[in-house]
Amino acid sequence: MNGVKIPKNFNLTEGEVPYWYGRPSWKYLWAEAFLGILIVLLTFVLLLVISLVINAGGLYLIALLILIPIFIPLLLASLLVILAIILSPILLFIVVLEFLTTEYLITNKRIYIKKGIISRTIQEARLEWVRAVAVNQSILERIINCGKVIISTSSELVGTIALERISNPMKVKNLIEELLAKREHHSTM
């Protein structure tokens, strides 16, 4: 064995060698948490400024008339912030659970994806089925060097599968392409 972790209940076939094991990157969790906290803080600051303007002595009526068009959306925004504060721990638990229960494995014979703990999805694509490999990254994903590797197969049942939210997606894409080239080279001999 070459030191690559094997998912629980995954059995290697004869001659099968694991090349890469992965999970979704924790960078996503930190990036999403940072953006969520930033949105909540900006909304609090905006609400604080509006409350200071509205409570400023004789400016009450003028401020109210000026701010009515933005006050109602801000009231809704403040309700959303309160809702976000209440739901944040639940959503955080769900996101962490998704990260902990998703596993990817690439061997010299197949690509394996396992997701879920209560309801489970397992996808496998044999390397001989793979027709194309692509990487999809947003601007933020390029900054944190994460993304999605999309694998198109010839199998009607499997179709297209994706290794989502992984670190170094270009490295993983290159590995799959190398394994495909090795397979092609061995099949022509």
Side-chain angles (χ1 to χ4, degrees):
M1 195 85 72
N2 58 6
V4 175
K5 183 177 177 180
I6 306 293
K8 187 177 179 182
N9 298 326
F10 180 86
N11 297 315
L12 293 171
T13 61
E14 186 176 325
E16 188 170 23
V17 179
Y19 278 88
W20 181 83
Y21 170 87
R23 292 182 179 269
S25 172
W26 285 99
K27 293 176 191 176
Y28 277 98
L29 185 61
W30 292 113
E32 290 170 359
F34 174 75
L35 288 174
I37 290 168
L38 187 63
I39 289 169
V40 168
L41 287 176
L42 288 175
T43 306
F44 275 134
V45 168
L46 212 49
L47 291 173
L48 180 63
V49 168
I50 287 175
S51 69
L52 290 173
V53 170
I54 289 176
N55 290 330
L59 296 175
Y60 180 73
L61 185 59
I62 295 169
L64 190 59
L65 290 173
I66 293 171
L67 296 174
I68 280 178
I70 63 169
F71 182 71
I72 292 173
L74 285 174
L75 181 63
L76 291 174
S78 65
L79 290 174
L80 287 175
V81 168
I82 292 168
L83 188 62
I85 290 169
I86 293 169
L87 292 178
S88 290
I90 296 167
L91 295 175
L92 180 64
F93 176 74
I94 290 170
V95 169
V96 168
L97 196 61
E98 177 190 340
F99 278 77
L100 293 175
T101 61
T102 300
E103 295 180 284
Y104 305 118
L105 181 67
I106 299 171
T107 74
N108 61 329
K109 293 186 177 185
R110 57 190 160 159
I111 299 166
Y112 175 82
I113 300 171
K114 181 174 80 172
K115 296 179 181 182
I117 191 166
I118 296 171
S119 68
R120 178 165 287 166
T121 301
I122 295 176
Q123 295 175 297
E124 284 189 35
R126 293 183 182 174
L127 281 184
E128 65 258 24
W129 297 344
V130 175
R131 296 294 168 244
V133 183
V135 170
N136 189 344
Q137 290 179 296
S138 68
I139 293 171
L140 176 63
E141 289 171 327
R142 290 198 61 198
I143 291 169
I144 64 174
N145 192 23
C146 291
K148 180 191 304 187
V149 176
I150 303 163
I151 301 147
S152 174
T153 73
S154 60
S155 168
E156 287 184 30
L157 180 62
V158 176
T160 300
I161 61 173
L163 309 175
E164 300 179 72
R165 298 178 159 212
I166 62 170
S167 291
N168 301 315
M170 289 303 295
K171 179 180 172 187
V172 174
K173 175 188 179 286
N174 291 339
L175 170 66
I176 294 170
E177 289 174 340
E178 286 173 22
L179 291 170
L180 290 171
K182 282 182 187 176
R183 183 168 191 75
E184 181 75 23
H185 177 72
H186 287 299
S187 66
T188 58
M189 292 184 100

